[in-house]
Amino acid sequence: MLRTNIKSNLKDAMKSKDKRKTSTLRLIIATLQDRDLAARDNGAEEGITEDEILQMLTTMVRQRKESISAYEKGGRIDLATSEQEEIEIISDFLPKQFDEEEIRNAVKEIIAEIDAQGLKDMGKTMATLKGKYAGCMDFSIASSIVKETLGA
């Protein structure tokens, strides 16, 4: 589904001569093909799954946010703007991102669901969150909330 949607959007961007969107979508497809190739080498004939594609896209967004921070510190607002445009294009393929309150609620729900007792259950909690909410939240924020909640 996501693969088809990305390729369809690339065709539309090429037809409308949107250079930024075309280059960003080509980058997504190249990254996806690279990941598929690695997955096939490990025995996954179909390539990576939809959840893994969502994780890949989330990573791409996070990388661009880090780049924006570096560019702003270096006074390169033009490059920061370019990265922000790429984030918006990539984000079109991601589900709505949870805000901090929604992440807190999801963490509480998972902790109750798996009956996590302390920091020793952090890995299990994070794995369950990633399985259930792939692409929906920033897991670095979720990790700090899980640590805060289980450590209390």
Side-chain angles (χ1 to χ4, degrees):
M1 171 91 172
L2 270 174
R3 290 171 197 275
T4 308
N5 196 4
I6 292 168
K7 289 177 182 175
S8 171
N9 275 280
L10 175 60
K11 288 178 188 173
D12 293 342
M14 290 169 65
K15 286 179 186 174
S16 67
K17 299 187 187 324
D18 184 339
K19 290 182 181 180
R20 167 64 58 206
K21 192 167 188 175
T22 300
S23 68
T24 303
L25 291 170
R26 282 185 172 151
L27 182 65
I28 292 171
I29 290 170
T31 305
L32 179 57
Q33 289 173 340
D34 199 37
R35 299 270 176 101
D36 281 343
L37 194 63
R40 285 188 189 106
D41 286 344
N42 293 327
E45 292 299 317
E46 300 292 317
I48 63 174
T49 65
E50 290 281 315
D51 285 343
E52 290 170 319
I53 294 172
L54 287 173
Q55 289 174 346
M56 178 193 81
L57 293 171
T58 302
T59 299
M60 292 176 82
V61 168
R62 188 187 73 245
Q63 289 169 335
R64 277 149 188 79
K65 286 180 180 177
E66 291 169 359
S67 295
I68 287 172
S69 176
Y71 289 145
E72 286 174 345
K73 286 179 185 170
R76 295 298 309 264
I77 303 305
D78 56 328
L79 294 175
T81 302
S82 175
E83 293 289 311
Q84 184 59 45
E85 290 170 358
E86 288 187 10
I87 286 173
E88 291 167 12
I89 293 166
I90 296 167
S91 295
D92 286 344
F93 300 102
L94 292 170
K96 177 195 163 287
Q97 294 293 298
F98 287 8
D99 61 25
E100 188 171 339
E101 187 60 33
E102 290 171 313
I103 294 173
R104 285 187 183 283
N105 291 335
V107 166
K108 287 177 187 173
E109 174 189 318
I110 295 299
I111 287 173
E113 181 180 308
I114 65 170
D115 195 30
Q117 299 298 315
L119 287 175
K120 64 179 175 42
D121 293 324
M122 184 166 175
K124 184 177 177 184
T125 304
M126 289 303 297
T128 306
L129 278 170
K130 287 180 180 180
K132 192 169 183 178
Y133 298 108
C136 294
M137 67 174 67
D138 183 335
F139 289 106
S140 61
I141 294 171
S143 176
S144 64
I145 292 172
V146 169
K147 187 179 283 185
E148 170 189 313
T149 306
L150 290 177

